Amino acid sequence: AWPWNRTAVNKSIKLKVNITEDLAFMVTETPLSEDQAINDSVRDNWKRLTATVLDSHELRYWLLSQGDAVEILSPKGMRSWFKEISNNMASLYKN
């Protein structure tokens, strides 16, 4: 089941994610928020994005659509939610 009912949506959050350099270029062109910052990440060829955004279904759909080009770092609840979704997807594609 799609676990939307376990999400804290429609409130402002401080999003912190690792993103690929290609995705970093895209969000530089179309920022997620006015306070968006993109810095080097500890991962090679990745960037660290921080932004104050509304935790909405649209944001989560967009993050999911980025696939393995994004790693949610915080908030922890969102990271856990993405981990659950990723594990569920991985189990579908085992064979």
Side-chain angles (χ1 to χ4, degrees):
W2 197 249
W4 289 118
N5 59 340
R6 292 183 295 211
T7 62
V9 296
N10 295 324
K11 71 174 191 174
S12 185
I13 59 167
K14 186 69 169 188
L15 180 67
K16 186 188 309 183
V17 295
N18 284 330
I19 56 176
T20 61
E21 289 181 340
D22 289 340
L23 185 54
F25 177 77
M26 187 183 87
V27 296
T28 299
E29 295 287 315
T30 308
L32 298 180
S33 70
E34 290 182 16
D35 71 344
Q36 172 178 298
I38 299 175
N39 299 295
D40 288 335
S41 172
V42 295
R43 298 174 67 176
D44 290 339
N45 302 316
W46 285 66
K47 299 291 182 184
R48 172 77 44 91
L49 167 78
T50 57
T52 304
V53 295
L54 186 65
D55 183 1
S56 63
H57 295 306
E58 292 82 8
L59 173 69
R60 289 175 183 242
Y61 280 133
W62 181 81
L63 289 167
L64 283 169
S65 76
Q66 303 311 312
D68 63 355
V70 63
E71 175 191 10
I72 309 298
L73 301 174
S74 66
K76 289 182 191 253
M78 182 179 282
R79 182 177 172 90
S80 296
W81 185 82
F82 272 82
K83 182 178 178 181
E84 179 181 350
I85 295 292
S86 299
N87 288 336
N88 291 345
M89 288 179 67
S91 69
L92 293 173
Y93 293 98
K94 282 185 179 177
N95 296 325

